[in-house]
Amino acid sequence: MKTLRRSITKTEVGGEPLPAPFQAFERNGIVLRRAEVTIVAGTPGVGKSSVALHIAARLKQPTLYFSADTNAHTMAMRLLALSGRMTQQQAETLMHNEPYLAEEILSNNNHLYWSFESSPTLKDLDEEVSAFETMWGRSPTLIVVDNLMDIAMDGHEEFSGMRAAMKELKFLARDTNACVLVLHHTKEGFSGTPCQPRNALQGMVAQIPAMILTIGQKMLPNGIDARLCAAPVKNRYGKADHTGATYVSLSFDPERMHLDDILKDYRQQETIEIDYEQQI
């Protein structure tokens, strides 16, 4: 038996916040926590993997990344573009023409360990975590699962398999004290302005995660600058809006894998974007 007062002075008791990957997240109470599951959801190609990759790269903590949805070459190219501040095309050319330089740039992300099994089972996930613990002598701080639909759940229909997998991922988060970040699809029939509501998630898996972010994109009136928007449609530790109408915006250039806080004064920028939303 435990009393909660003892958890105050102990480290790694579960629920500890991780450093914020973006100031916009920190300002708006979007906090990733250890021993909890967070879902990042959206339609295909909207930028879920970009968000996860930036979080993993910026955290600089031991991370295990299950990339079932994307192959090793593509992820290396994306991470090289992100780290080397270049386009993905330039990154791919560098990988081909100057592999040693590409390896040197990627070495700045040696805290990331990868599994590229295309349809991992829960046993595969457990074995990879065990191998990680053997190498590091500790569990990962962050476990990324990209994505939920790719986890093989024999004996289950698709949606029931997703719910069963989420229960196991919650257990994994508690057992390892890791933040488990799960990428998931939403239903394309649901409109988003730009972020979809919570009930757009496929498979009715919203009960388990501590936080759910739906992701959307929009262009600014100049037709050049893009924004990636993240709406906390569920947040046990902060403000949430299940409709997806309340969101934060980040500067986004998918060609360069650039995702960052908006450089100009955020209060002015948010006013500009709110005014633009009202005009349309």
Side-chain angles (χ1 to χ4, degrees):
M1 294 186 293
K2 298 180 180 180
T3 59
L4 292 179
R5 65 182 178 84
R6 292 181 178 272
S7 68
I8 296 174
T9 56
K10 289 186 177 181
T11 60
E12 297 189 352
V13 296
E16 302 90 353
L18 298 181
F22 306 105
Q23 292 180 17
F25 278 21
E26 187 172 20
R27 289 195 303 268
N28 291 276
I30 299 174
V31 180
L32 299 174
R33 294 180 180 270
R34 302 186 68 158
E36 297 281 17
V37 178
T38 292
I39 284 182
V40 174
T43 55
V46 76
K48 300 184 295 295
S49 294
S50 296
V51 173
L53 188 59
H54 272 268
I55 290 172
R58 287 166 177 252
L59 189 60
K60 296 299 181 185
Q61 292 287 327
T63 297
L64 181 56
Y65 199 121
F66 292 93
S67 182
D69 199 44
T70 308
N71 60 60
H73 177 83
T74 301
M75 292 305 291
M77 180 176 63
R78 290 176 176 177
L79 187 57
L80 183 59
L82 184 160
S83 302
R85 299 181 180 274
M86 62 186 79
T87 66
Q88 293 188 57
Q89 183 177 359
Q90 290 170 334
E92 189 167 34
T93 300
L94 187 67
M95 290 166 61
H96 183 266
N97 295 336
E98 300 183 69
Y100 293 109
L101 178 57
E103 288 179 6
E104 182 180 348
I105 296 173
L106 287 176
S107 67
N108 293 322
N109 294 283
N110 282 343
H111 63 288
L112 298 178
Y113 286 78
W114 302 82
S115 171
F116 291 100
E117 174 65 45
S118 61
S119 186
T121 64
L122 292 173
K123 182 180 179 182
D124 292 331
L125 268 64
D126 185 64
E127 289 178 349
E128 291 286 359
V129 170
S130 296
F132 186 102
E133 291 172 339
T134 299
M135 176 178 291
W136 279 81
R138 52 160 293 180
S139 298
T141 299
L142 176 68
I143 299 173
V144 180
V145 179
D146 184 4
N147 62 60
L148 180 61
M149 295 181 69
D150 288 318
I151 297 178
M153 297 294 293
D154 293 338
H156 292 272
E157 295 182 357
E158 184 178 19
F159 288 168
S160 66
M162 290 182 198
R163 292 191 289 273
M166 284 298 300
K167 291 180 180 178
E168 293 299 324
L169 291 173
K170 178 182 178 180
F171 174 79
L172 179 65
R174 296 286 177 88
D175 187 52
T176 60
N177 197 38
C179 170
V180 176
L181 183 64
V182 181
L183 276 55
H184 188 37
H185 290 300
T186 55
K187 304 168 188 174
E188 296 189 55
F190 280 70
S191 61
T193 54
C195 300
Q196 293 173 296
R198 187 173 63 206
N199 60 358
L201 267 69
Q202 293 193 15
M204 298 176 64
V205 295
Q207 295 87 351
I208 290 176
M211 184 167 63
I212 301 172
L213 303 177
T214 57
I215 303 298
Q217 292 185 28
K218 68 177 181 181
M219 295 293 296
L220 291 188
N222 61 19
I224 300 174
D225 296 320
R227 297 287 183 259
L228 188 143
C229 306
V233 296
K234 180 181 179 182
N235 188 356
R236 288 180 185 157
Y237 298 93
K239 294 181 180 179
D241 178 357
H242 70 93
T243 70
T246 304
Y247 56 86
V248 300
S249 298
L250 300 169
S251 176
F252 186 45
D253 181 355
E255 183 183 13
R256 296 179 178 274
M257 284 302 294
H258 172 85
L259 184 64
D260 209 343
D261 287 289
I262 299 165
L263 294 179
K264 67 198 304 185
D265 182 82
Y266 73 87
R267 289 167 295 184
Q268 179 185 359
Q269 184 66 42
E270 286 174 354
T271 300
I272 291 173
E273 295 189 8
I274 290 170
D275 289 344
Y276 172 60
E277 295 289 333
Q278 292 173 349
Q279 290 173 14
I280 60 174

